[in-house]
Amino acid sequence: MSTPWSKMAQNTPSSVVRDMLQAAQAPGMISLAGGLPAQTSFPLEAIRAAYEKVFMSGSAALQYAETEGYRPLRVKIAERLEAKGLPASPDHMLLTTGSQQSIDLVCRILLDPGDSVLVESPTYLAALQVIQSYQGISHGVACDDHGMLPESLEEQLQLHRPKLVYINPTFSNPTGKVWSRERRQQAVDLCRKYGVLILEDDPYGEIRFNPEQLDAPALAALDAASYEGPSNVIYTSTFSKTVAPGLRTGWILAAPDVVKIAARAKQGADLHSSSIDQRALHALLETFDLDAHIRYISQDYEQRMRTLTELMARKSWEGITWNSPQGGMFLWLTLPEGMLASNLFTYGIQEKVCIVPGDSFYAGTPELNRMRINFTHTDPELLPEAVERMDRAIQRWHASSQSDHVVTM
Amino acid sequence: MSTPWSKMAQNTPSSVVRDMLQAAQAPGMISLAGGLPAQTSFPLEAIRAAYEKVFMSGSAALQYAETEGYRPLRVKIAERLEAKGLPASPDHMLLTTGSQQSIDLVCRILLDPGDSVLVESPTYLAALQVIQSYQGISHGVACDDHGMLPESLEEQLQLHRPKLVYINPTFSNPTGKVWSRERRQQAVDLCRKYGVLILEDDPYGEIRFNPEQLDAPALAALDAASYEGPSNVIYTSTFSKTVAPGLRTGWILAAPDVVKIAARAKQGADLHSSSIDQRALHALLETFDLDAHIRYISQDYEQRMRTLTELMARKSWEGITWNSPQGGMFLWLTLPEGMLASNLFTYGIQEKVCIVPGDSFYAGTPELNRMRINFTHTDPELLPEAVERMDRAIQRWHASSQSDHVVTM
């Protein structure tokens, strides 16, 4: 007998990128794929001490706990957000098993089959997958280097009457771009005008290479500054990139009714996330200077990004360009027209370097000559060799491209 | 503007019992509601040492990990299941954020709106809620003290063509009952005959007061012994009752295709559960005698159950009966016809003792004179006072019932 999978399961295909990441596991492969933070940056000793403190406080940490999450941690998170200019209350917050669960819960409580969601073009792949799993329909809004184009956003708000606008405005996955303040305000205003909620996914926002030069307030902060009453922005972030992903702790900050309904959904989904991890994070924040640690990570990541882009620049690849991100974990490569990223991926695998083609990051028709490079995970000492391999992959592409020409002549 | 919640959110109402449990939090309340294990039984020192060991092993535990869960823990779980007669492989297993997530993921990959699920009558409340949230329809199968009645099960299999049969056959929540071996085999055979998957939810199965007297193999084991090929039973259990709930670690053991599709769904839902907690459980199982600990918990819980039922028996409440569970965490009270459990709940709250009415545990028309009593969480020293309060609540009911008669005469 064949199992009668639900439509939801049928709309949850195995991710192409997931399969690519498995290729990245092959022996000897240097991977610039994936979205992993540097393992060397995890504050292991401070985390160890934090768990120790939790267990010293007794067995309450081991019992069932409330769905909304450990309240003292919510208080700490709210304080940190307030310090960054984002009005926040622990009562308007739900702790989650990382940002991925935040996205899933928001889609769960808002999307019916056929509902539209507007997304950046390109956008975070796993968000597209979650939207698809709820049988929602993602529509890409045209973007430039400063964010969504307001005219495209308004046109699509009118055309698709979406339930949600999903954005990743600060050091976007996959592009590493940052929305300008103006574009942020415009998106906030347009979504208010059309009564559409924004889901602001902000896992990388604190990883800033030049914090003082960046004018990128959270859309949630701009919304709060511009409008009375409950927020129109559902803000989600995580400790995965600032502390460590293994603790699986993120949060949703939103209007009270959104938090209430999301908490009900979470109760059905898993009752609550690990209370031990939540208490350990709380203990960590009590003594550990997380802001100093974030500055350290940011400097480390900036150095990695510079090393990589300088090595790439020395190769003078014809027609290949990239941005220089001001933070986050990714940079975005543009290949010459006609050089398919999927082909370059294949040549890369043959040369034992893994870079993800950009195709999968688009809601609609993809750009076929983009690639995402992660610069935070690979050992910096391997970067020269990684670039040599990329170079050989590019040479292979040129060689095969010329032989194609011969054949077609 | 009012938020346009999804149908899924609209079908995820706040649980009546959740509201009742909030009543149980009131100062001075003695709660026999809830389904919490004894906090005093958590092996705090062993757990502390296990986390310590994880952090000694380096920062890999803090990185992103595979969706299926920490493989060495899956190996350990498989060994434990095999030792109990249940064929198990780490490759047919998905680690989850507790049994609740197991139930949610199984519903997610199988249920479309309008699909039927057969359940025991009564059954685990939160499973009913998850089924409802996916807009599935639960149908109660008639049960006696030995499990589902085969004729009722077959009739409903024919009538409703369900996607799933959800059962909690060993020390059921809410009744504490155990299915006989015969009924287990009959359910396995009938579900094979009609090609319907079984979801066997087994969080309490190891908490056995007289292990040697109990002939209650997992349905998954009977299915494997009776039929070739992939299992027709999706088996889920958890460490929440044997170690501690705060670690939020459960698992699904099932046919390879079910595990594969459930893992995809979990990837969208939260990428993976806490890898730190999973590694700590693995470290715990390496040195801690969990079976001895389970024997200790079981003896403790049996003693609590005996203390409570002896105190209740001394009251000689007219027409009130209960079972004497052979394990698990609950017993099931039957009130005289006409004594509404919801009324007794209210009088109980007035007397500061909280017991959950059974109404919410039924898929269809509920029995209105049943109550669930948890005997594992309240301090045993409070049990005499709890029974005194129950007694006063029952007297209140009788008094009001007589005054009702006066009024209606």
Side-chain angles (χ1 to χ4, degrees):
Chain A
M1 117 195 145
S2 72
T3 310
W5 305 117
S6 65
K7 290 200 179 60
M8 200 162 172
Q10 293 170 37
N11 280 285
T12 311
S14 180
S15 151
V16 181
V17 170
R18 196 186 184 201
D19 298 342
M20 287 177 180
L21 292 180
Q22 290 198 327
Q25 308 283 326
M29 188 71 69
I30 298 178
S31 176
L32 303 172
L36 278 64
Q39 199 163 304
T40 47
S41 74
F42 300 151
L44 180 64
E45 175 49 31
I47 292 174
R48 189 201 63 72
Y51 277 84
E52 181 74 18
K53 209 164 144 190
V54 170
F55 295 121
M56 297 296 283
S57 74
S59 56
L62 300 174
Q63 189 55 282
Y64 282 110
E66 62 177 328
T67 302
E68 288 78 1
Y70 187 55
R71 193 181 162 84
L73 177 58
R74 285 186 276 140
V75 170
K76 287 271 182 209
I77 294 170
E79 286 168 5
R80 288 183 58 81
L81 295 175
E82 291 266 356
K84 291 178 204 320
L86 177 49
S89 153
D91 296 323
H92 302 166
M93 199 182 291
L94 172 68
L95 301 188
T96 61
T97 309
S99 291
Q100 187 70 31
Q101 189 179 49
S102 303
I103 298 169
D104 184 71
L105 289 173
V106 169
C107 288
R108 187 164 172 143
I109 65 172
L110 288 173
L111 298 189
D112 284 321
D115 280 346
S116 288
V117 180
L118 303 188
V119 300
E120 290 162 275
S121 193
T123 188
Y124 175 48
L125 168 64
L128 290 176
Q129 292 173 328
V130 172
I131 293 163
Q132 186 188 351
S133 76
Y134 287 95
Q135 301 164 66
I137 300 166
S138 297
H139 301 278
V141 174
C143 296
D144 64 13
D145 284 349
H146 312 292
M148 279 182 175
L149 300 175
E151 48 277 27
S152 174
L153 175 57
E154 180 152 25
E155 187 186 303
Q156 304 233 38
L157 283 166
Q158 292 172 343
L159 184 63
H160 298 297
R161 302 256 151 217
K163 278 283 189 76
L164 193 65
V165 176
Y166 168 81
I167 56 170
N168 181 195
T170 311
F171 316 124
S172 145
N173 180 352
T175 67
K177 291 179 188 172
V178 180
W179 287 33
S180 69
R181 174 188 274 264
E182 189 185 8
R183 290 289 176 76
R184 288 166 191 257
Q185 185 69 50
Q186 287 166 329
V188 162
D189 294 341
L190 282 169
C191 287
R192 280 278 180 179
K193 179 176 169 187
Y194 290 93
V196 176
L197 286 165
I198 294 172
L199 174 54
E200 179 176 19
D201 185 12
D202 189 28
Y204 315 106
E206 293 192 277
I207 313 287
R208 302 182 170 201
F209 300 159
N210 300 291
E212 59 292 339
Q213 288 171 27
L214 203 73
D215 184 26
L219 277 78
L222 294 175
D223 182 86
S226 312
Y227 299 91
E228 302 276 322
S231 179
N232 193 49
V233 178
I234 303 169
Y235 177 89
T236 177
S237 187
T238 173
F239 289 105
S240 290
K241 278 76 186 183
T242 53
V243 179
L247 290 95
R248 309 300 307 121
T249 303
W251 65 88
I252 287 170
L253 175 76
D257 63 339
V258 172
V259 169
K260 187 175 106 184
I261 302 297
R264 277 189 204 164
K266 181 167 169 63
Q267 196 187 25
D270 62 13
L271 297 181
H272 63 87
S273 301
S274 168
S275 39
I276 299 174
D277 298 346
Q278 291 175 5
R279 283 171 183 254
L281 274 165
H282 173 258
L284 184 81
L285 292 177
E286 290 235 292
T287 54
F288 182 67
D289 187 346
L290 182 57
D291 287 321
H293 180 69
I294 291 171
R295 282 194 297 277
Y296 156 74
I297 297 172
S298 301
Q299 285 164 10
D300 179 34
Y301 287 1
E302 181 181 18
Q303 186 53 52
R304 289 165 184 254
M305 187 273 290
R306 291 206 181 286
T307 302
L308 179 66
T309 52
E310 280 162 21
L311 287 162
M312 284 162 51
R314 267 182 237 156
K315 291 294 178 187
S316 305
W317 293 319
E318 202 184 320
I320 300 183
T321 59
W322 53 85
N323 56 340
S324 285
Q326 293 301 302
M329 296 172 38
F330 303 102
L331 58 86
W332 191 235
L333 217 62
T334 303
L335 309 178
E337 288 294 332
M339 185 187 261
L340 293 183
S342 54
N343 285 348
L344 195 53
F345 166 77
T346 304
Y347 293 127
I349 294 297
Q350 289 166 4
E351 294 292 344
K352 294 213 170 286
V353 62
C354 187
I355 315 177
V356 177
D359 317 14
S360 307
F361 295 85
Y362 292 84
T365 313
E367 300 284 353
L368 298 175
N369 62 336
R370 302 289 199 280
M371 301 194 93
R372 186 190 74 176
I373 293 185
N374 167 267
F375 52 79
T376 62
H377 184 245
T378 297
D379 181 347
E381 295 196 354
L382 291 175
L383 290 178
E385 177 60 21
V387 173
E388 289 304 322
R389 294 180 185 185
M390 285 167 65
D391 189 51
R392 290 201 294 272
I394 291 165
Q395 303 319 323
R396 275 188 188 242
W397 182 87
H398 281 298
S400 88
S401 162
Q402 277 158 7
S403 69
D404 282 356
H405 283 297
V406 173
V407 170
T408 54
M409 269 196 295
Chain B
M1 115 194 147
S2 71
T3 310
W5 305 117
S6 65
K7 290 199 179 61
M8 200 162 172
Q10 293 170 37
N11 281 284
T12 311
S14 180
S15 150
V16 180
V17 170
R18 196 185 183 201
D19 298 343
M20 286 177 180
L21 293 180
Q22 289 199 328
Q25 308 283 326
M29 188 71 69
I30 298 178
S31 176
L32 303 172
L36 278 65
Q39 200 162 304
T40 48
S41 75
F42 300 151
L44 180 63
E45 175 49 31
I47 292 174
R48 189 201 62 72
Y51 277 84
E52 181 74 18
K53 209 164 143 190
V54 170
F55 295 121
M56 296 297 283
S57 75
S59 56
L62 300 174
Q63 188 56 281
Y64 282 110
E66 61 177 329
T67 302
E68 288 78 2
Y70 187 54
R71 192 181 162 84
L73 177 58
R74 284 186 276 140
V75 170
K76 287 271 183 210
I77 294 170
E79 286 168 4
R80 288 183 58 80
L81 294 175
E82 292 265 357
K84 292 179 204 319
L86 177 49
S89 153
D91 296 323
H92 302 166
M93 199 182 291
L94 172 69
L95 300 188
T96 61
T97 309
S99 291
Q100 186 70 32
Q101 188 179 49
S102 303
I103 298 169
D104 184 70
L105 290 173
V106 170
C107 289
R108 187 164 172 144
I109 65 172
L110 288 174
L111 298 189
D112 283 322
D115 280 345
S116 288
V117 180
L118 303 189
V119 300
E120 291 162 275
S121 193
T123 188
Y124 175 48
L125 168 64
L128 290 176
Q129 291 173 329
V130 173
I131 293 163
Q132 186 188 351
S133 76
Y134 287 95
Q135 300 164 66
I137 300 166
S138 297
H139 300 278
V141 174
C143 296
D144 64 13
D145 284 350
H146 311 292
M148 280 183 174
L149 300 176
E151 49 277 26
S152 174
L153 175 57
E154 181 152 26
E155 187 186 303
Q156 304 233 39
L157 282 165
Q158 292 172 343
L159 184 64
H160 298 298
R161 302 258 151 215
K163 279 283 189 77
L164 193 66
V165 176
Y166 169 81
I167 56 171
N168 181 196
T170 311
F171 316 125
S172 145
N173 181 352
T175 66
K177 291 178 189 172
V178 181
W179 287 32
S180 68
R181 174 187 274 264
E182 188 186 8
R183 290 289 176 75
R184 289 166 192 257
Q185 185 69 51
Q186 287 166 330
V188 162
D189 293 341
L190 282 169
C191 287
R192 280 278 180 178
K193 179 176 169 187
Y194 290 93
V196 176
L197 286 165
I198 294 172
L199 173 54
E200 179 176 19
D201 185 12
D202 189 28
Y204 314 107
E206 293 192 276
I207 313 288
R208 302 182 170 201
F209 300 160
N210 300 291
E212 59 291 340
Q213 288 171 27
L214 203 74
D215 184 25
L219 277 78
L222 294 175
D223 183 85
S226 312
Y227 300 91
E228 301 276 322
S231 180
N232 193 49
V233 178
I234 303 169
Y235 176 89
T236 176
S237 187
T238 172
F239 289 104
S240 290
K241 277 76 186 183
T242 53
V243 179
L247 290 95
R248 309 299 308 120
T249 303
W251 65 88
I252 287 170
L253 176 77
D257 64 338
V258 172
V259 169
K260 187 175 107 183
I261 302 296
R264 276 189 205 164
K266 182 167 168 63
Q267 195 187 24
D270 62 13
L271 297 182
H272 62 87
S273 301
S274 168
S275 39
I276 299 173
D277 298 347
Q278 291 175 5
R279 283 171 183 254
L281 273 165
H282 173 258
L284 185 80
L285 292 177
E286 290 234 292
T287 54
F288 182 67
D289 187 345
L290 182 57
D291 288 320
H293 180 70
I294 290 171
R295 282 194 296 277
Y296 157 74
I297 297 172
S298 302
Q299 285 163 10
D300 179 33
Y301 287 1
E302 182 181 18
Q303 185 54 51
R304 289 165 184 253
M305 188 272 290
R306 292 207 181 286
T307 302
L308 180 65
T309 52
E310 280 162 20
L311 287 162
M312 283 161 52
R314 267 183 236 155
K315 291 294 178 186
S316 305
W317 292 319
E318 203 184 318
I320 300 183
T321 59
W322 52 85
N323 56 340
S324 285
Q326 294 300 303
M329 296 173 39
F330 303 103
L331 57 87
W332 191 236
L333 218 62
T334 303
L335 309 178
E337 288 295 330
M339 185 187 261
L340 293 183
S342 55
N343 285 348
L344 195 53
F345 166 78
T346 305
Y347 292 127
I349 294 297
Q350 289 167 4
E351 294 293 345
K352 294 213 170 287
V353 62
C354 188
I355 315 179
V356 177
D359 317 13
S360 306
F361 294 85
Y362 292 84
T365 313
E367 300 284 353
L368 298 175
N369 62 336
R370 302 290 199 280
M371 301 194 93
R372 186 191 75 176
I373 293 186
N374 167 267
F375 52 79
T376 62
H377 184 245
T378 297
D379 182 347
E381 295 196 353
L382 291 176
L383 291 178
E385 177 60 20
V387 173
E388 288 304 322
R389 293 180 185 185
M390 285 167 65
D391 189 52
R392 290 201 294 272
I394 290 165
Q395 303 319 322
R396 275 187 188 242
W397 182 87
H398 280 299
S400 88
S401 162
Q402 276 158 7
S403 70
D404 281 356
H405 283 298
V406 174
V407 170
T408 54
M409 269 196 296

